């Protein structure tokens, strides 16, 4: 697939720093990249009363900012698309929590999206249902089963795994196990937010390309500490 950015806008007479940012980012919205917008939203939403839990319900977890998801999905598509020929991804797989982000990325990359179902699907004749159990923890108080049909994911597939938030790694770890059961190969993982302080990176495949729009080093006393440079 030929993944080409749109023509650069005429930046003459405008802030040169914005022009510089544009050379490194496919998508610029009113002078800001999607990671910048996402970081600003996280900062503005702040934390719960405990001073540690991020308030994501207003734009990611419950009420969803669909325009933001569209921009962020396109941004991830650009990041992975820069290496698409090398990755040779054939499908994107996501849990329901990451389906909207993944759908926007899949649309931009022109790839099929397979959503890991929490209800056991009815297989066609001759196909298999692969199943794993996500252990309790984080926002899920009970164990949760996830399923993939061999009809849609199998040996020969090269998969991009996506979710909204990488935290302890319980969800992504279960997805990795599920994808490996199918016989597919994970070539990349993409997230809106990486809570680096919760250690989820440790479960990611070492040979996969990893992209997060925003990485958070820690949250203490209602202060959110972002990690490193933004993913332009």
């Amino acid at each position: 697939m030929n993944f080409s950015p749109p023509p650069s806008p005429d930046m003459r007479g405008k802030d040169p720093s914005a022009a510089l940012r544009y050379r490194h980012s496919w998508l610029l919205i009113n002078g800001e990249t999607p990671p910048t917008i996402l970081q600003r939203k996280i900062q503005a939403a702040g934390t719960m009363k405990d001073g540690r839990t991020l308030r994501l319900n207003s734009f990611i977890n419950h009420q969803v900012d669909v325009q933001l998801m569209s921009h962020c999905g396109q941004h991830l598509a650009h990041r992975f698309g820069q290496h698409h020929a090398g990755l040779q991804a054939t499908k994107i797989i996501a849990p329901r929590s990451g389906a909207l982000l993944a759908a926007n990325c899949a649309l931009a990359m022109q790839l099929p999206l397979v959503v890991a179902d929490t209800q056991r699907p009815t297989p066609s004749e001759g196909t298999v249902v692969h199943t794993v159990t996500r252990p309790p923890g984080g926002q899920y108080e009970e164990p949760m089963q996830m399923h993939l049909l061999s009809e849609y994911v199998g040996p020969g597939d090269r998969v991009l795994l996506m979710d909204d938030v990488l935290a302890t790694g319980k969800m992504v770890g279960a997805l990795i196990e599920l994808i490996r059961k199918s016989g597919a190969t994970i070539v990349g993982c993409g997230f809106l937010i990486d809570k680096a302080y919760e250690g989820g990176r440790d479960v990611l495949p070492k040979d996969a390309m990893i992209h997060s729009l925003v990485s958070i080093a820690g949250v203490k006393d209602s202060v959110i500490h972002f990690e490193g440079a933004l993913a332009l």
Side-chain angles (χ1 to χ4, degrees):
M1 180 186 75
N2 182 18
F3 193 91
S4 302
S8 299
D10 185 355
M11 302 299 290
R12 288 175 293 183
K14 299 183 181 179
D15 177 8
S17 64
L20 178 63
R21 284 201 303 273
Y22 195 92
R23 285 200 294 271
H24 296 283
S25 177
W26 176 52
L27 198 60
L28 200 67
I29 303 98
N30 296 325
E32 293 184 301
T33 62
T36 303
I37 297 170
L38 178 59
Q39 179 170 309
R40 178 163 48 77
K41 275 190 163 286
I42 295 168
Q43 195 79 271
T47 67
M48 300 292 198
K49 289 182 179 179
D50 62 9
R52 300 186 307 275
T53 305
L54 296 175
R55 288 182 182 272
L56 303 178
N57 285 341
S58 64
F59 60 101
I60 295 177
N61 288 342
H62 194 47
Q63 175 176 273
V64 178
D65 185 333
V66 293
Q67 188 174 40
L68 178 64
M69 291 302 111
S70 174
H71 294 329
C72 291
Q74 290 177 66
H75 184 86
L76 279 177
H78 171 58
R79 299 290 292 176
F80 286 116
Q82 288 177 311
H83 308 278
H84 188 72
L87 291 179
Q88 296 181 325
T90 59
K91 290 184 180 173
I92 296 177
I93 295 180
R96 293 203 174 276
S97 54
L100 190 53
L101 172 70
N104 282 288
C105 185
L107 182 62
M109 295 187 75
Q110 300 176 27
L111 291 174
L113 166 64
V114 181
V115 178
D117 209 334
T118 54
Q119 293 187 337
R120 183 180 174 85
T122 303
S124 303
E125 185 177 348
T127 62
V128 175
V129 180
H130 302 291
T131 301
V132 299
T133 301
R134 182 212 186 273
Q139 66 183 45
Y140 301 97
E141 297 180 356
E142 302 293 333
M144 179 175 65
Q145 285 197 327
M146 293 188 295
H147 312 276
L148 281 179
L149 280 170
S150 64
E151 185 176 355
Y152 303 115
V153 185
D157 278 317
R158 296 173 62 81
V159 168
L160 295 176
L161 186 162
M162 291 192 182
D163 201 2
D164 55 357
V165 178
L166 174 62
T168 62
K170 287 184 170 64
M171 175 64 81
V172 74
L175 284 168
I176 289 169
E177 181 185 351
L178 187 59
I179 292 166
R180 286 175 174 163
K181 273 191 173 186
S182 76
T185 301
I186 300 169
V187 296
C189 301
F191 309 94
L192 278 177
I193 301 168
D194 173 14
K195 294 181 178 179
Y197 57 99
E198 294 197 28
R201 292 180 192 171
D202 294 342
V203 307
L204 300 179
K206 304 303 180 189
D207 55 349
M209 184 173 293
I210 313 298
H211 287 306
S212 300
L213 276 87
V214 169
S215 183
I216 299 175
V219 183
K220 185 177 181 181
D221 299 330
S222 299
V223 178
I224 303 168
H225 300 279
F226 293 94
E227 185 179 70
L230 289 173
L232 298 179

